[in-house]
Each structure stands twice: as structure tokens, then as C-alpha cells.
Amino acid sequence: MNKLITRYMSGEYDKVWKEIENTDIQHLDMIHADDIRAVLRETFSRVAYNLQIIYKALTDIGYHFASDHPLVAPDSNTGARLTKIQEAVSSFGHIPESLKYFYEIVGSCDFTWNAYASSPIWEYSDPLQISGIQELSEYVSDGDWAEYIEELKAETTDMVPYVELSADFYHKDNVSGGQAYSIAINPYPSVDSKLLFEERNTTFINYLRISINNCGFSRIDKIQRIESLDSFLKTVKPQLKPF
């Protein structure tokens, strides 16, 4: 049987991910675990590459970012912060490998526009935003977060523990909206996890795929197409790597 990474490199991106997303990586033998880790490394190397392309294109058209640092590479503290995050959530479960690799290879991303500096270019298009690792570490290490999750679990027996990663598409446009997009904490060390409270009810990886395939804006297909958007997509899409 061909290795997963071989199949992935030959173009079976979605198929490979659907096969491995729920895998309990902790209980795999070394060969299969290394194969999955190779897929993770290649996937997030492509994500990092694509986000650089999108960031440059947005900068070139004079896009007004809300953040002073829209794209931040990983630093030497990433490993220690990941350990701190896992320790903080350990009583509820595990953060997925996909989120770990995002922070280890990509860093953080915030393509939200500054609604105070200019009107939104493409309203409700859901620009990609994934919290920085320092912010997430401080968030889950706060005793208030664990207490809040415990209260939710007491109220709803089938409640899935989660950590917030991103504002929803309304809040990104400075409009009151719904629950923040959040990644599910699984009871075992899974490869990927559900992204909760996002309208597609999909996984973290698939949300990234949808967003990046739409040049950083996951709801492009749900908003009015205008000339500036079509021009942006035409410039960026051919440069992106599939993953």
C-alpha cells in the first residue's frame, strides 16, 4: 500500500485527510505515525506558503488590516507554549495535531480588515483569522476558562469542550454576531478536530482549505461579486498550492 504522504503528494489531498482526520495518533506504530506527521508537515508548509501569497496580494491592493501584524511566523517559544496549552486543557482532552502544526509551521494569521480605517471591501466574506499562540495560551491558562467549560458541561451532558480561535464573520465586520469559531478538544490525541460554531460544521483543516481556496475569505461564494473581488481572485488563485 502506498504511503499516505505519497498519495497526498500525488494529489489525493482531500481523500487522505478524510481518512486520517479522526485517527488517534498516540496509539499508532512509529511507521504510520511518521507517515501522518509527514502529511501534516507538507499540509501546513503549503498553508504557510499560500498565506504569504494572499498577504502580499492584499498589501498590494491597499487592504487595511485590523492587526498591526496580520501574519506572524512561529518563534522559539512555540513548543513551550503548546505544552502549556495542552497541560491547561488536559482535564478535558487534547488539542488536535492540526492546530499544533499550524502554530509550529504557520504561526498566526489575522486578515480581518480595519472597519474604522475604511469601509469593508467585501462585506461578510469572513477573512481568515486564527488566534496567536501566546493569546491562546493565556486564554486557556486562565482559571476562568476551565471554570466556564465545567459549567457548560454541567448544563449539557453532550457538550464538547472547546477553545476559541476566531471571531465569527459578523464580528470581523464590527457587527454584533454569534459565537466565536472554536476548535473542539477531543478525548484522545486526534489528527484533526471539528471547528465549532462555523456555519459549515466542518473540520479545522477543511475550514482552512475552504478559506485559502477562496484566497483567504471563506464566504466569497455567499457575497455579492464585485469587480475588485473578481480581480483579486483572478490574480491570487493561480498562485496557490492545493492542500
Side-chain angles (χ1 to χ4, degrees):
M1 183 180 293
N2 286 337
K3 285 187 175 182
L4 290 165
I5 186 59
T6 302
R7 292 171 51 207
Y8 184 87
M9 296 299 289
S10 70
E12 294 185 40
Y13 313 111
D14 188 52
K15 188 173 181 180
V16 166
W17 266 99
K18 283 181 178 176
E19 287 180 23
I20 68 174
E21 61 187 18
N22 294 317
T23 301
D24 181 347
I25 196 167
Q26 189 176 45
H27 293 101
L28 291 178
D29 61 68
M30 185 178 296
I31 292 174
H32 288 91
D34 285 348
D35 193 19
I36 287 178
R37 290 188 179 104
V39 172
L40 282 158
R41 283 191 296 273
E42 181 62 26
T43 297
F44 285 98
S45 293
R46 291 175 180 229
V47 169
Y49 173 87
N50 288 336
L51 292 181
Q52 289 287 351
I53 295 293
I54 295 167
Y55 173 61
K56 182 180 183 304
L58 288 172
T59 302
D60 288 347
I61 64 172
Y63 186 91
H64 292 277
F65 294 100
S67 172
D68 292 334
H69 305 287
L71 203 55
V72 179
D75 62 29
S76 59
N77 295 317
T78 298
R81 286 175 176 149
L82 282 172
T83 298
K84 185 178 180 181
I85 290 169
Q86 182 51 57
E87 288 174 350
V89 307
S90 61
S91 60
F92 302 105
H94 301 262
I95 58 172
E97 294 296 302
S98 56
L99 185 62
K100 295 178 185 177
Y101 275 74
F102 182 91
Y103 284 128
E104 288 174 345
I105 295 176
V106 180
S108 67
C109 175
D110 187 357
F111 290 162
T112 305
W113 49 54
N114 186 342
Y116 296 103
S118 64
S119 298
I121 301 175
W122 309 309
E123 291 185 330
Y124 305 130
S125 58
D126 192 32
L128 184 62
Q129 177 190 59
I130 305 295
S131 295
I133 191 169
Q134 181 175 354
E135 179 184 356
L136 185 65
S137 176
E138 292 171 353
Y139 163 60
V140 299
S141 298
D142 186 334
D144 290 344
W145 171 79
E147 184 178 345
Y148 173 67
I149 297 298
E150 288 287 6
E151 289 174 357
L152 289 179
K153 287 183 69 178
E155 293 171 2
T156 310
T157 56
D158 60 351
M159 180 266 177
V160 177
Y162 60 83
V163 292
E164 296 181 356
L165 286 185
S166 166
D168 76 332
F169 68 86
Y170 286 110
H171 280 108
K172 289 173 183 175
D173 276 15
N174 200 36
V175 175
S176 294
Q179 181 95 28
Y181 302 159
S182 305
I183 198 159
I185 299 172
N186 288 334
Y188 54 89
S190 59
V191 174
D192 199 17
S193 189
K194 281 287 186 73
L195 187 70
L196 306 175
F197 315 119
E198 197 274 336
E199 58 191 335
R200 294 174 183 83
N201 188 34
T202 192
T203 61
F204 178 58
I205 280 290
N206 200 46
Y207 174 73
L208 291 177
R209 184 181 291 119
I210 291 166
S211 181
I212 292 173
N213 283 348
N214 286 294
C215 303
F217 300 83
S218 80
R219 303 185 80 255
I220 285 295
D221 60 331
K222 300 178 184 293
I223 67 171
Q224 182 179 359
R225 297 294 286 267
I226 57 177
E227 186 177 348
S228 64
L229 173 57
D230 287 335
S231 176
F232 176 75
L233 296 175
K234 186 177 180 180
T235 299
V236 177
K237 273 196 171 186
Q239 303 179 64
L240 302 178
K241 292 182 179 181
F243 66 94

